[in-house]
């Protein structure tokens, strides 16, 4: 679902984008729906961030910018990765548009308990479907970090809604830098990265439920000078790289 095709301005350098989900958070560990709730990393999550940095260091990718959400689990992972690759000096851009999707009334609830209440099929639709909307909150929450931006915290979000609020940031702040040949790093969340992957890979609404983004498992995209994906690489933590080369239509 491409809103428009950005045309490059004669750049010959193949730009690289690395996307990675934050390390394990306390809510991940406890099997809790998190959404926009701010929770810290666990010791395992910190270790995952360090391992991502060590693997990226081997690839010697020089980033021009890093992009992350307003959530501390993603911000902390970004800092850890950049420290490991000795690139803490680059600009770090924080945006609410890269936040995890808002799980509405499911936020703070244990996933197993919810599954026992409503069944595995419905839970799968809420978690992995594109248009399925989890139950809404009865009242809108407030948080100073968003109030100062004039951003209303959602009552609930589908993956489609997450993609819609993410795309303007991609088109305005990330894509132009890639077109100019500047490598970019995105550290975000399972759902916001699934939405971006759907967009970049042209995945259908029906097939996106098969896509999973594990914590601390980086993915490397290489683009041509028209911002078509020419290579997608899954970086493993054992020093090996699995390539998935594709020619964009």
């Amino acid at each position: 679902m491409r809103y428009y095709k950005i045309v490059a301005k004669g750049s010959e350098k193949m730009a690289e984008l690395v996307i990675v989900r934050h390390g394990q958070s306390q809510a991940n560990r406890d099997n809790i729906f998190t959404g926009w709730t701010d929770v810290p990393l666990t010791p395992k999550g910190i270790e995952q961030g360090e391992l991502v940095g060590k693997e990226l260091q081997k690839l010697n990718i020089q980033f021009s910018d890093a992009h992350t959400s307003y959530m501390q689990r993603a911000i902390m992972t970004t800092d850890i990765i950049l420290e490991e690759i000795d690139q803490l000096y680059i600009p770090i851009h924080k945006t609410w548009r890269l936040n995890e999707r808002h799980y509405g009334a499911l936020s703070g609830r244990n996933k197993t308990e919810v599954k026992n209440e409503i069944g595995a099929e419905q839970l799968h639709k809420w978690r992995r479907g594109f248009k399925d909307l989890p139950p809404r909150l009865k009242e809108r929450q407030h948080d100073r970090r968003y109030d100062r931006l004039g951003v209303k915290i959602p009552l609930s979000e589908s993956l489609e809604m997450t993609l819609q609020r993410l795309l303007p940031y991609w088109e305005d702040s990330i894509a132009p830098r890639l077109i100019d040949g500047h490598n970019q790093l995105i550290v975000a969340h399972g759902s916001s990265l699934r939405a971006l992957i759907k967009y970049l890979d042209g995945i259908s609404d029906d097939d996106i439920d098969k896509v999973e983004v594990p914590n601390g498992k980086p993915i490397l995209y290489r683009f041509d000078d028209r911002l078509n994906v020419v290579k997608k690489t899954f970086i493993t933590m054992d020093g090996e790289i699995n390539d998935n080369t594709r020619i964009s239509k």
Side-chain angles (χ1 to χ4, degrees), residues 1 3 36 96-104 129-134 136 140 152-168 191-192 195 198:
M1 181 176 61
Y3 286 14
W36 285 35
W96 66 274
R97 293 185 181 275
L98 286 174
N99 279 10
E100 178 60 291
R101 67 183 287 202
H102 199 298
Y103 275 102
F130 184 58
K131 296 179 180 292
D132 298 88
L133 186 70
R136 298 175 186 267
R140 194 177 302 278
K152 293 182 178 181
I153 297 178
L155 297 175
S156 182
E157 284 185 304
S158 64
L159 189 65
E160 181 179 34
M161 295 164 67
T162 306
L163 176 58
Q164 289 171 346
R165 51 105 157 152
L166 181 154
L167 276 178
S191 293
S192 53
K198 183 183 190 302

Side-chain angles (χ1 to χ4, degrees), residues 190-201:
S191 293
S192 53
L193 291 178
R194 286 178 66 233
L196 181 58
I197 290 169
K198 183 183 190 302
Y199 175 73
L200 294 177
D201 293 4

Side-chain angles (χ1 to χ4, degrees), residues 8-9 13 18-19 25 28-29 33-34 36 39 44 46 54 60 97 107 122-123 185 193 201 213-214 226 246-247:
K9 301 176 181 178
K13 182 181 177 181
V18 172
I19 66 174
S25 70
N28 294 146
R29 179 196 62 196
F33 283 105
T34 319
W36 285 35
V39 294
K44 178 179 179 179
I46 293 172
K54 287 179 170 58
N60 195 32
R97 293 185 181 275
S107 299
Q122 181 61 63
L123 180 63
L185 171 67
L193 291 178
D201 293 4
V213 183
R226 295 181 64 87
R246 59 193 290 270
I247 301 299

Side-chain angles (χ1 to χ4, degrees), residues 190-240:
S191 293
S192 53
L193 291 178
R194 286 178 66 233
L196 181 58
I197 290 169
K198 183 183 190 302
Y199 175 73
L200 294 177
D201 293 4
I203 298 172
S204 71
D205 295 358
D206 292 336
D207 289 337
I208 190 60
D209 69 342
K210 303 178 180 67
V211 175
E212 180 71 30
V213 183
N215 296 96
K217 301 292 184 181
I219 302 173
L220 170 62
Y221 282 93
R222 289 186 174 93
F223 300 90
D224 65 16
D225 61 3
R226 295 181 64 87
L227 214 60
N228 294 308
V229 178
V230 296
K231 196 171 190 179
K232 179 180 180 182
T233 304
F234 298 87
I235 304 172
T236 67
M237 293 298 104
D238 57 6
E240 297 180 356

Side-chain angles (χ1 to χ4, degrees), residues 58-70:
K58 295 175 185 178
L59 299 180
N60 195 32
I61 300 174
Q62 299 301 307
F63 296 104
S64 295
D65 303 89
H67 307 266
T68 191
S69 72
Y70 266 34

